[in-house]
Every structure is written in structure tokens, then in C-alpha cells.
Amino acid sequence: MIRTIFPLALVLICLIALPACEREVEPPAIATATAIPSAPDAGQDSSAEASKAAPSGITYQLPAGWNRTARSSSMRIDQAVIPGPGGSAEMAVFFFGAGGGGGVQENLERWASQVESTASPAQETFQSNGLTIHWMDVSGTLKASTMGMGPSSDQPNSRMFAAVVEGEGGPWFFKVTGPASTLDAQRDVFLEMLRTVRTAGTSV
């Protein structure tokens, strides 16, 4: 009799423990990962884009034929190559946070000092879309950079367009450098691009 009860009790214990064992080994729920949108193709021709919305809070129209490229520095919010008969020129746009990056005249003088020229830079200030835009144009020899952000050797017959755009949340800094024979035809194009700059949310 004892032998009969003991196997029966053992079977009952196993039946009671089985659901608990199954719960214990239940696989954990699988977490769903959120997809992160991929970055635009760095080689994409930007002339097909309607406008550029920078993380700095501005938009502007990139001129046709100016091709957006991958940024070579974290200090840049945008970068483009400008093809032309003298070789490619480059545009870079900088933003250092609201109120950052130094004063207008300080930057204009620093940029001018990067070009050895026999003439003083042409400078102009105008208003557009509620923004104040200070820009300069200088031609000569673009000096070799000592900070690793420019040419490694002096570049004669060069030209530079540069601008400080002042407005709420700014300033923003635009700089174009390259062969004069390429940029000679781009002066008015650069100015037209500056006139399209708007702070994000500003109506057209």
C-alpha cells in the first residue's frame, strides 16, 4: 500500500510543478527597435532640392549647379562644391549656436586677412527676410591655412565671398573660396542665395 501511494504522490507533485516550470522558462518579449532615417546621399545633386533646412534653424535655396557634399567638419552645417572653368570652388556654412562665433567686423577682418590682396575687400550690408546680411568680396592669393581647415599651400588667383547673417537665433556664417576664374561668374549667384535665407518658420 505504501508503495502505491508514494508513486501516486510523486506524480501529483510533478503535475503541480509543471506549469510553474513552464512559466519560468518562457522566452522574454522581443523589443522592437525604432528605425533611424538614413542620411541623404552625400553625392546627391542639391540643385534638385527645393531648399536646405539646416539644423541651425535656417533655410535657403542652394543655387543650381552647386552640389552639396558631406560635411568635412562638425563645425559646418552645410557644404557644397561649385564647379567652374578654373576648377572647383567650395562653400561652407557655419553655426556656433545663438550669439556664438564672434562679431560681424571681427569675422570680416579675419576672412580678409586670409587673402593677400592689392585691393581692399568690397563690403556691403543689406536687409532680407527680416535678417541683416553683411557680406564681402575679395580677390588675391588665398593663404595656406595654419588650422587644417583650408589650403595646404598658397593659392594665387583666388577669390572669396563671405557673409555674416544676423537674426533671431543667429548669427550664421557663409564662406565661398576658390579659383577667381570660377567664382567671377558666381558673385551675383551668391548674393541671390543670401537673399533666400530665412529663419525656419518664416513665411515666403
Side-chain angles (χ1 to χ4, degrees):
M1 184 67 177
I2 294 175
R3 290 178 182 176
T4 303
I5 293 173
F6 180 77
L8 181 61
L10 184 59
V11 170
L12 289 173
I13 291 171
C14 290
L15 289 174
I16 293 170
L18 183 60
C21 293
E22 290 177 343
R23 286 195 301 270
E24 189 174 332
V25 297
E26 182 179 353
I30 299 174
T32 303
T34 302
I36 300 175
S38 58
D41 183 358
Q44 179 179 351
D45 184 351
S46 305
S47 62
E49 297 180 8
S51 64
K52 161 65 182 172
S56 60
I58 57 171
T59 64
Y60 47 89
Q61 184 76 37
L62 196 68
W66 292 30
N67 302 314
R68 184 161 289 124
T69 61
R71 294 173 297 153
S72 60
S73 166
S74 60
M75 293 190 297
R76 301 182 176 195
I77 60 172
D78 199 13
Q79 186 170 310
V81 168
I82 306 162
S88 295
E90 180 188 69
M91 179 194 76
V93 185
F94 303 86
F95 177 64
F96 303 99
V104 172
Q105 197 58 34
E106 174 188 352
N107 279 283
L108 292 177
E109 290 176 0
R110 178 173 54 82
W111 287 327
S113 71
Q114 295 172 0
V115 179
E116 186 177 324
S117 178
T118 57
S120 298
Q123 295 187 24
E124 182 184 357
T125 297
F126 62 91
Q127 306 289 321
S128 178
N129 304 316
L131 301 169
T132 301
I133 300 173
H134 312 267
W135 81 284
M136 61 168 281
D137 174 8
V138 60
S139 298
T141 297
L142 184 63
K143 299 177 184 177
S145 172
T146 58
M147 300 179 63
M149 296 291 288
S152 57
S153 61
D154 290 352
Q155 302 294 310
N157 303 314
S158 293
R159 194 166 181 176
M160 175 193 292
F161 307 137
V164 180
V165 177
E166 292 187 296
E168 184 177 356
W172 300 270
F173 306 90
F174 291 73
K175 183 179 179 183
V176 174
T177 55
S181 55
T182 292
L183 292 180
D184 287 347
Q186 299 293 337
R187 176 185 179 276
D188 291 342
V189 176
F190 176 71
L191 284 175
E192 187 57 35
M193 180 188 69
L194 293 178
R195 293 188 182 100
T196 70
V197 179
R198 288 177 166 80
T199 54
T202 301
S203 58
V204 178

